[in-house]
Amino acid sequence: MNQLISSDGDGGALEEACPTTGWKARIARQFGKPEGRMGRLVGHAMSVKNKARSEWVLSLLEIEAVDRVLEIGFGSGRDLRRVASIATEGLTAGVDHSAEMVKMARGTCIGATLAGRADIRLGSADSIPFPDACFTKAFSINAVQFWRDRRAAMLEIRRVLRPGGLVGVALEPRGASNPELALANGHVLAADLEAAGFDDVRLESSDLGRVPTVCVIGLKGDPE
Ligand SMILES: C[S@@+](CC[C@H](N)C(=O)[O-])C[C@H]1O[C@@H](n2cnc3c(N)ncnc32)[C@H](O)[C@@H]1O
């Protein structure tokens, strides 16, 4: 499995996201797994940024009212709420390994949860706490750079999708990145999806910022 490429050179985005020392390291760790009071602040910061990016990713998945949609790494839960406002006859579900974000997202999605249309759980991308084949769409935005085993996570996403289901994995470049690095990471993620057995894998890039956000889309084909 190829490493994601960081803007610092040959490090991997994981290394970039989690420098090992100093205040930068502490903040980066919070974005990877928000905890405690600082985690709540980071969660609020996540919730105010980048509506256009989220809407672009969701538009690529063509979510419909009857869809059953899973988000992996939902942070504050803003995008879960966006999905719940579209998938009004289906289900909006989420998994995040931060107990703090689970609490925050349940609050963000209180309406859909009370209506029985949202199911927000604590868990990890590489061990998704949902049964096989229960979703029609799955997506993740700016969380893949923290996954310790991307291949295992993508196999898990494929497991919980129904045949004909779609996945979208998006990565928004950090400040110091550039278009070439962003696209190179898109190709790494596309190769991961193909290796996990997804079909019709394609790489999309947005023109929303100076550096494009990339999103790889894959299809879980029908069994032969
Ligand atoms: C940078 S935040 C992004 C949140 C949101 N998707 C957004 O775009 O604002 C990354 C989120 O992914 C979660 N996360 C990171 N690694 C994870 C893993 N292996 N399994 C589940 N959640 C994970 C973190 O807890 C955090 O809530």
Side-chain angles (χ1 to χ4, degrees):
M1 183 172 66
N2 286 332
Q3 278 218 312
L4 292 171
I5 306 156
S6 84
S7 50
D8 297 335
D10 59 1
L14 185 63
E15 185 186 310
E16 180 187 38
C18 301
T20 47
T21 56
W23 63 270
K24 264 186 155 181
R26 286 201 295 281
I27 292 178
R29 274 197 288 274
Q30 287 291 345
F31 276 92
K33 189 172 187 180
E35 286 176 320
R37 200 152 62 100
M38 194 195 258
R40 284 194 291 282
L41 288 175
V42 164
H44 285 298
M46 287 176 201
S47 79
V48 289
K49 64 173 194 176
N50 235 335
K51 176 170 182 274
R53 172 216 63 190
S54 294
E55 287 175 345
W56 172 70
V57 174
L58 297 181
S59 75
L60 293 173
L61 290 172
E62 298 181 3
I63 295 169
E64 296 174 2
V66 293
D67 271 320
R68 296 171 59 86
V69 185
L70 173 71
E71 179 176 10
I72 304 102
F74 45 69
S76 69
R78 268 292 166 97
D79 291 334
L80 287 174
R81 193 165 73 191
R82 284 193 178 96
V83 169
S85 72
I86 307 170
T88 49
E89 297 161 36
L91 179 73
T92 299
V95 59
D96 196 296
H97 67 177
S98 159
E100 205 64 64
M101 291 302 97
V102 169
K103 204 158 79 181
M104 185 177 273
R106 284 183 178 154
T108 306
C109 299
I110 188 75
T113 303
L114 289 176
R117 294 193 297 104
D119 186 348
I120 295 170
R121 299 189 188 180
L122 182 67
S124 172
D126 55 17
S127 179
I128 296 175
F130 285 98
D132 294 358
C134 63
F135 297 107
T136 57
K137 309 268 163 77
F139 72 100
S140 185
I141 302 178
N142 284 349
V144 67
Q145 70 271 37
F146 300 109
W147 298 351
R148 254 188 309 215
D149 186 342
R150 291 197 310 276
R151 190 70 50 80
M154 288 176 182
L155 285 169
E156 268 297 88
I157 295 170
R158 193 170 181 281
R159 177 185 68 75
V160 298
L161 278 174
R162 290 181 182 167
L166 278 184
V167 63
V169 178
L171 190 56
E172 186 179 14
R174 297 156 64 79
S177 191
N178 62 56
E180 290 71 32
L181 283 183
L183 290 175
N185 279 330
H187 287 295
V188 170
L189 294 175
D192 288 341
L193 279 190
E194 275 172 355
F198 283 95
D199 298 327
D200 298 346
V201 173
R202 67 180 207 272
L203 169 58
E204 300 278 352
S205 66
S206 82
D207 54 3
L208 294 168
R210 182 185 60 82
V211 179
T213 293
V214 292
C215 182
V216 289
I217 305 287
L219 169 77
K220 176 172 175 174
D222 287 320
E224 314 213 321

